[in-house]
Amino acid sequence: MAKIHHTADVQTPHIGANTNCWQYCVILKGAKIGNDCNVCAHVLIENDVLMGDRVTVKSGAQLWDGLRVGDDVFIGPNVTFTNDKFPRSKQFQDQPLITTIERGVSIGGNATILPGLTIGQNAMVGAGAVVTRSVPPNAIVYGNPARITGYVNAEAMQSDTNQPATSTRGADTTPCRVNGVNLHKLPRVVDIRGSLTVGEFERSIPFAAKRYFMVFAVPSVETRGEHAHRECHQFLICARGSVTVVADDGENREEFVLDRPELGLHLPPMTWGIQYKYSPDAVLLVFASHYYDAADYIRDYSEFQQLTSAQK
């Protein structure tokens, strides 16, 4: 059964087993709190709040109507959630905006979360951040406004990419922790007249391309990709400037910096790809093995995880 401190004002009957509600917390009658949660002193939880299992809410946090909190979430001290974009005194919304905090999220102390957003699973929000846009799964954000600065468990690829390829015809290939992903060092030929780098389809580039596209003029704060393909292979080359790519197979996650035109990254099907940290002059060239097909895209990370798990 739940443990409720005698100074707490807990009006809801929906408190899960082994949940602790500490000194002077206030939980209104409509709230639903899961099992094994820890609601610390001086926390306020309104009526239309749903909280999963094993959630920790530290002192001073305010959870207003419209908040949905998944399992295993950590909410730090004095975190403030909001549910009205244009609040006025004594003027009430018919329905508060829904804010969703997916499972495994951690939110640092004094962060402020604007209404109607989704914080994706396993994401981390830094202390004091002001979150004005939805946060993708596994992203690390901080600042005001909060910006993506990294991804959870995305280890940086360690390889000597400054060395040229040993072959003038093929490419040196470095396998990665992420299933099927390879970093390619293509030949670079330096000449007094200028330099060139070259790749051959179905040789150094491991498929025949049917389509290419280029991404450029991306504001540095923006994140692109955030999807996987069911059948399409992609080969990424940053022809100018630099861009950081995260590859994810549903279990392993790795980060690559493409900052020279002789570096290419092969993303096979069923690889979740993200591109961010674009330099102002970045031009990303992508070769694809298939023509564009909207049905080939997987844009929901939870669906991607389910599909990759089913394949194992």
Side-chain angles (χ1 to χ4, degrees), residues 1 14 19 29 38 79 89 119 159 168 203 249 262 266 269:
M1 59 182 297
H14 305 293
T19 287
K29 63 182 180 181
N38 194 41
V79 169
S89 179
I119 311 298
S159 65
T168 59
R203 287 183 172 178
D249 62 13
E262 67 267 28
H266 174 217

Side-chain angles (χ1 to χ4, degrees), residues 187-201:
R188 177 170 182 159
V189 181
V190 179
D191 189 281
I192 193 172
R193 300 164 296 174
S195 300
L196 68 83
T197 181
V198 61
E200 297 179 316
F201 294 109

Side-chain angles (χ1 to χ4, degrees), residues 7 89 114 155 180:
T7 63
S89 179
L114 268 60
E155 297 184 14

Side-chain angles (χ1 to χ4, degrees), residues 236 243-247 254-258 265 267 274-276:
L236 284 63
V243 62
T244 298
V245 181
V246 176
E254 200 159 4
E255 186 169 291
F256 308 83
V257 177
L258 302 182
L265 185 66
L267 301 181
I274 302 164
Q275 301 94 48
Y276 75 121

Side-chain angles (χ1 to χ4, degrees), residues 7-301:
T7 63
D9 180 9
V10 177
Q11 302 171 20
T12 178
H14 305 293
I15 300 288
N18 300 315
T19 287
N20 292 320
C21 301
W22 294 101
Q23 295 92 330
Y24 304 106
C25 67
V26 177
I27 305 177
L28 300 187
K29 63 182 180 181
K32 296 181 179 179
I33 311 299
N35 301 319
D36 299 303
C37 295
N38 194 41
V39 181
C40 294
H42 299 281
V43 168
L44 172 63
I45 301 177
E46 276 198 314
N47 285 289
D48 185 18
V49 175
L50 304 179
M51 184 184 297
D53 298 332
R54 299 173 301 281
V55 175
T56 295
V57 186
K58 303 301 285 186
S59 297
Q62 304 116 42
L63 284 62
W64 307 110
D65 287 341
L67 187 62
R68 308 290 183 260
V69 181
D71 296 340
D72 303 298
V73 168
F74 174 86
I75 298 172
N78 300 307
V79 169
T80 297
F81 295 96
T82 57
N83 63 9
D84 189 343
K85 288 185 177 180
F86 304 101
R88 295 290 188 182
S89 179
K90 303 298 183 181
Q91 297 182 21
F92 304 103
Q93 303 177 98
D94 293 332
Q95 179 66 40
L97 294 172
I98 301 298
T99 299
T100 301
I101 313 300
E102 296 185 346
R103 64 178 177 84
V105 168
S106 290
I107 304 177
N110 291 298
T112 299
I113 314 298
L114 268 60
L117 305 181
T118 296
I119 311 298
Q121 62 175 282
N122 209 36
M124 299 192 74
V125 177
V130 178
V131 180
T132 61
R133 301 195 298 178
S134 291
V135 177
N138 304 303
I140 302 170
V141 302
Y142 71 85
N144 181 6
R147 295 178 178 176
I148 297 173
T149 61
Y151 283 81
V152 175
N153 296 327
E155 297 184 14
M157 175 66 182
Q158 301 295 324
S159 65
D160 191 5
T161 54
N162 285 309
Q163 295 298 318
T166 56
S167 169
T168 59
R169 186 171 181 82
D172 291 344
T173 303
T174 303
C176 308
R177 293 173 55 248
V178 179
N179 185 39
V181 173
N182 292 291
L183 184 67
H184 296 249
K185 286 186 287 184
L186 301 167
R188 177 170 182 159
V189 181
V190 179
D191 189 281
I192 193 172
R193 300 164 296 174
S195 300
L196 68 83
T197 181
V198 61
E200 297 179 316
F201 294 109
E202 298 184 282
R203 287 183 172 178
S204 51
I205 298 173
F207 57 84
K210 291 185 177 179
R211 176 171 60 104
Y212 82 89
F213 58 91
M214 302 178 75
V215 182
F216 54 93
V218 177
S220 61
V221 300
E222 296 300 329
T223 301
R224 297 187 59 92
E226 296 183 316
H227 61 256
H229 289 278
R230 301 175 191 275
E231 297 183 4
C232 183
H233 292 255
Q234 292 188 316
F235 195 87
L236 284 63
I237 299 172
C238 193
R240 183 178 181 184
S242 66
V243 62
T244 298
V245 181
V246 176
D248 182 337
D249 62 13
E251 289 187 357
N252 300 304
R253 193 171 304 117
E254 200 159 4
E255 186 169 291
F256 308 83
V257 177
L258 302 182
D259 57 0
R260 290 180 296 284
E262 67 267 28
L263 290 180
L265 185 66
H266 174 217
L267 301 181
M270 298 307 296
T271 303
W272 189 267
I274 302 164
Q275 301 94 48
Y276 75 121
K277 294 183 181 178
Y278 282 82
S279 66
D281 61 341
V283 178
L284 180 65
L285 171 63
V286 181
F287 295 109
S289 64
H290 289 60
Y291 297 122
Y292 175 78
D293 179 4
D296 190 56
Y297 285 73
I298 305 167
R299 299 189 182 275
D300 182 84
Y301 188 75

